[in-house]
Amino acid sequence: MRLKVTFVLFLSILPLALANLRVGFYRRSCPNAESIVRAAVRRRLTRDKSITAALLRMHFHDCFVRGCDASILIDSNRKSSSEKDAGPNLTVRGFELIDEAKKALEATCPSKVSCADIITLATRDAVFLSGGPFYFVPTGRRDGLVSDPDEVNLPGPTLTVSEAVQAFRAKNMSMDDMVTLLGAHTVGVAHCSFFLDRITRPDPTMDRGLAAKLRSICGAASGSNPDPTAFLDQGTPFAVDNQFFKQIGLKRGVMKIDQELANDPLSRRIVSGFAANATLFRTRFAQAMVKMGNIQVLVGNAGEIRKNCRVFNPRRRI
């Protein structure tokens, strides 16, 4: 039965792949590429279940700036800042996992597998290993040559549903894609500073019990932890499932945008559908992840294949 479900997902996702990306791109040039990435993810998950949320966030923050080109991985230096220095990216993490996978790939097949593909594959594997769907990822992305913090303008947690839809449509993603991808909050966390206004005064859209729990969490702030975090899914915070949608249907959304998904007429039908049908969410989540992974990709001779994901390759002198 599992093979049958996987095959159906493959058939429904494959048409979304760009012409220059294809499933099994490294079949000849680096046959073990995907298994090497998956092994690195599996090792990390055994000691840190939160890495799934970290990779989902990294993938999103990468794709929504210059496209899925691994520009988020570049380190700043004395001469220039990178996307890592932008405010929304200061808490992005998981870079060392990408480094680990890249090091193993370079030892096996040097200069073949892009850092952009490593992010995409690692995210897919983390989703699957955390109980989510397995889906086939078209590969063949190239790494970008620019990483500019001034270009980082990501949709934030205080947006209305209409504003979030506009941000996603700018990347050729639909309303359905937007609601589906926000389902990644099923394994997410948020700092108190992102939702403090919802718990410091009465909010009729938030469950009273949840508000009291969040006030207790945020009230424990200290010098060593000035901005505590709370799970966005109070039910199964480390599992990729449809519990997030069930929670927001019960007024248990932590961030404003999460709860508005369940309240806004534009999105609540989709939310209700996912809350009632776990299989529907799994299928649509896989499709939306593949679609997001295709945003403004570099292929062919564009960009480069970095040897170190944190730095651009040395420029060749002509």
Side-chain angles (χ1 to χ4, degrees), residues 59 68 115-125 135 137-138 141 293:
H59 193 24
C68 308
C115 301
D117 275 342
I118 295 173
I119 295 176
T120 307
L121 291 167
T123 304
R124 184 273 309 273
D125 294 334
Y135 49 96
V137 173
R141 295 165 189 78

Side-chain angles (χ1 to χ4, degrees), residues 138-157:
T139 45
R141 295 165 189 78
R142 305 268 293 180
D143 298 323
L145 301 174
V146 175
S147 183
D148 184 348
D150 293 333
E151 294 185 353
V152 178
N153 182 24
L154 297 162

Side-chain angles (χ1 to χ4, degrees), residues 187-210:
V187 290
V189 299
H191 287 276
C192 289
S193 55
F194 285 107
F195 58 82
L196 203 58
D197 61 321
R198 299 194 68 216
I199 60 174
T200 52
R201 59 178 181 270
D203 186 337
T205 68
M206 180 179 282
D207 173 76
R208 290 183 180 181
L210 174 62

Side-chain angles (χ1 to χ4, degrees), residues 42-115:
R42 193 185 299 275
R43 285 192 296 272
R44 180 62 180 270
L45 266 172
T46 60
R47 64 180 189 274
D48 179 12
K49 291 183 180 180
S50 70
I51 193 62
T52 303
L55 288 171
L56 281 162
R57 188 163 181 247
M58 180 194 295
H59 193 24
F60 172 73
H61 281 222
D62 184 45
C63 293
F64 264 63
V65 178
R66 297 185 62 85
C68 308
D69 68 347
S71 53
I72 195 172
L73 301 181
I74 294 295
D75 284 341
S76 298
N77 55 45
R78 288 178 295 178
K79 294 183 178 180
S80 62
S81 298
S82 71
E83 288 178 24
K84 284 183 179 178
D85 286 333
N89 289 338
L90 294 177
T91 53
V92 173
R93 61 188 183 85
F95 301 115
E96 68 285 349
L97 171 56
I98 305 301
D99 293 338
E100 179 185 340
K102 181 61 172 175
K103 182 178 180 180
L105 288 164
E106 286 297 303
T108 303
C109 33
S111 301
K112 296 296 183 183
V113 182
S114 70
C115 301

Side-chain angles (χ1 to χ4, degrees), residues 238-266:
F238 295 114
V240 177
D241 55 24
N242 68 334
Q243 284 297 315
F244 167 79
F245 294 104
K246 293 182 178 182
Q247 294 283 317
I248 62 177
L250 298 172
K251 295 186 177 182
R252 294 179 63 79
V254 175
M255 293 196 297
K256 175 186 174 183
I257 183 59
D258 293 347
Q259 191 55 54
E260 288 204 358
L261 290 178
N263 300 340
D264 195 297
L266 290 172

